[in-house]
């Protein structure tokens, strides 16, 4: 059994922080996905190898819980490993540590492998020995939840542009997180910070499609988001804030 | 005389590339600004020190010429130094090298120092010994040009949101570059790449202000952009493309 669990070191760059000097939720998500890609590369099933075979990874769900958002120039350690592998999806977990190596958060993610042409999910067991990487090691947070339809109030409408599109030729995960984060004002972020974030991806958004962002406020400082493309659901998210900063 | 010229090493992260797998103009600009901030910190007049005194750096103009845009996972070396220092502004230059240490581009930038409260420019000679860092070493590209008013065709309208705002509580440079880059389709970027980029910043955009992006096409694969906030000019830019990819 080959279990390749590894920690990647990042510095919070000046461009990845918000007006509070804290890393943004989208930049933190970026670090998680970058660690995931590095780890997949090292284990032999990274994007570069998949792309050579006309395949790609797509993120289905992500859950993140964090005590606080590190500041500009701080060092962040992100440890990542595969928990389990099924035919249709694989679970990858994360442990986030601060510069003193104290655990400040955890994340869990679910991924599928798609064919670049057909955009359809492929059997993960066609990848050499990916099953050997399943460590069964969980994280002490709830699994990424499945969010149901909740249209709410329309907060933004625009079209998907060049800067939103990644190498899969669909909207990049970071952009969704930015669009969701934009549901709140700087004043809101001065008083509150995200303690848990869940996101589900249902269908990809392509260049030029119309994007609509809907928001619903619930009790307990909880907000639900739904993002549509050409009136079809693409992404749902839930943010739970803590009040004390 | 203390001349602190230094090279900073970056890896092109998976999230900083476009659908072509090439670093985007905004992510490359981010690397230049990050190198500038690191170098200013090391020389004793970084943002952290300025912020402690209620001051901040603001970018006035930038010019970039590049042979090609490095790919995902490639190493990029950015060397930066101060060319000259005046009362009102300072010129910082950049040399960009690829993984083989070959020069693939140059950039030049002009900066002012503002007071955080009044938002007015401050005398740079009030900074300890900043003049000693002026190396007089130029770069072999034209200086950042001053762009004149050219309203053109309205291509985008939206309001400035949380994810656009940086620690100066105004729209971050990267966001302007993204908005300008969005003036073209992926199909355009499949055929052409930017060989020279000039940008001028005239006034800051604050949270909630209405942003309008105007574009003008000129001969020689040249495009001019003007970005307005609440109908006041904020930013002008010029992009010159090369056809061969």
């Amino acid at each position: 059994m080959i279990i390749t669990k590894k920690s990647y070191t990042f510095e919070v760059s000046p461009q990845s922080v918000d007006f509070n000097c804290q890393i943004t939720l989208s930049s933190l998500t970026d670090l998680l996905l970058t660690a995931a890609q590095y780890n997949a590369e090292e284990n032999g099933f990274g994007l570069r190898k998949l792309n050579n075979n006309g395949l790609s990874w797509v993120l289905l769900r992500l859950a993140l819980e964090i005590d606080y958002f590190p500041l500009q120039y701080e060092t962040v350690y992100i440890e990542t490993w595969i928990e389990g592998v099924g035919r249709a999806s694989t679970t990858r977990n994360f442990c986030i540590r601060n510069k003193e190596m104290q655990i400040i958060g955890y994340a869990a993610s679910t991924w599928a492998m798609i064919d670049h042409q057909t955009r359809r999910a492929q059997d993960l067991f066609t990848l050499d020995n990916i099953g050997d990487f399943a460590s069964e090691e969980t994280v002490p947070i709830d699994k990424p939840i499945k969010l149901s339809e909740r249209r709410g109030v329309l907060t933004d409408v625009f079209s998907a542009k060049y800067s939103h599109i990644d190498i899969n030729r669909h909207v990049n995960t970071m952009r969704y997180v930015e669009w969701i984060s934009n549901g709140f004002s700087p004043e809101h972020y001065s008083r509150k910070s995200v303690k848990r974030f869940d996101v589900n991806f249902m269908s990809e958004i392509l260049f030029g499609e119309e994007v609509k962002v809907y928001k619903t406020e619930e009790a307990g400082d909880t907000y639900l988001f739904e993002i549509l493309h050409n009136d079809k659901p693409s992404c749902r998210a839930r943010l739970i804030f803590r009040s004390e900063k």
Side-chain angles (χ1 to χ4, degrees), chain A:
Chain A
M1 197 159 69
I2 323 149
I3 295 165
T4 307
K5 179 177 178 178
K6 200 166 160 186
S7 178
Y8 300 87
T9 308
F10 299 96
E11 193 184 62
V12 177
S13 82
Q15 306 295 326
S16 64
V17 299
D18 69 4
F19 72 98
N20 274 321
C21 233
Q22 295 174 315
I23 191 167
T24 60
L25 183 62
S26 69
S27 295
L28 181 62
T29 304
D30 175 12
L31 298 189
L32 296 174
L33 300 187
T34 301
Q37 288 199 42
Y38 285 155
N39 195 244
E41 287 288 337
E42 291 189 33
N43 293 353
F45 42 87
L47 258 189
R48 274 188 288 198
K49 186 173 174 193
L50 263 61
N51 287 347
N52 289 342
N53 298 321
L55 302 167
S56 213
W57 286 116
V58 289
L59 179 62
L60 300 179
R61 292 191 200 171
L62 173 73
L64 164 74
E65 290 195 15
I66 193 148
D67 296 335
Y68 67 91
F69 286 79
L71 296 172
Q72 176 172 291
Y73 294 119
E74 278 190 28
T75 300
V76 177
Y77 301 96
I78 298 178
E79 192 175 35
T80 181
W81 65 94
I82 292 178
E83 182 186 320
V85 181
R87 283 207 179 279
S89 69
T90 171
T91 302
R92 175 180 281 285
N93 293 334
F94 303 87
C95 173
I96 307 165
R97 291 172 196 267
N98 67 9
K99 59 182 186 294
E100 284 88 25
M101 295 295 280
Q102 291 158 335
I103 295 172
I104 60 166
Y106 291 102
S109 60
T110 315
W111 299 77
M113 182 172 74
I114 61 159
D115 178 288
H116 232 276
Q117 289 301 320
T118 65
R119 320 303 282 185
R120 298 185 73 155
Q122 303 297 301
D123 182 347
L124 282 166
F125 292 121
T126 60
L127 287 178
D128 290 350
N129 75 348
I130 189 171
D132 298 343
F133 291 90
S135 66
E136 307 301 332
E137 186 182 337
T138 59
V139 279
I141 63 170
D142 287 340
K143 298 261 171 220
I145 58 164
K146 184 169 193 286
L147 294 158
S148 48
E149 184 177 327
R150 190 72 71 87
R151 196 82 11 130
V153 176
L154 182 67
T155 59
D156 214 351
V157 183
F158 50 88
S159 66
K161 300 190 175 65
Y162 160 74
S163 72
H164 305 146
I165 305 297
D166 69 14
I167 56 166
N168 286 328
R169 288 190 170 252
H170 62 200
V171 168
N172 182 289
T173 304
M174 275 184 78
R175 305 302 156 212
Y176 286 95
V177 184
E178 282 176 8
W179 299 342
I180 292 160
S181 302
N182 285 342
F184 309 94
S185 65
E187 197 272 333
H188 179 94
Y189 289 103
S190 310
R191 291 183 292 108
K192 298 179 182 198
S193 68
V194 173
K195 69 175 181 187
R196 181 170 169 110
F197 172 56
D198 283 274
V199 62
N200 297 175
F201 294 99
M202 288 112 75
S203 66
E204 55 192 354
I205 304 181
L206 305 179
F207 176 78
E209 292 191 328
E210 186 194 57
V211 179
K212 287 182 179 162
V213 182
Y214 290 88
K215 176 184 162 191
T216 307
E217 185 174 353
E218 293 209 328
D221 252 339
T222 298
Y223 296 84
L224 300 169
F225 286 86
E226 188 152 277
I227 297 178
L228 278 77
H229 63 118
N230 292 354
D231 294 317
K232 293 189 295 285
S234 170
C235 168
R236 293 184 185 133
R238 185 183 71 171
L239 291 166
I240 306 174
F241 286 87
R242 63 167 63 82
S243 282
E244 70 293 351
K245 283 282 289 191

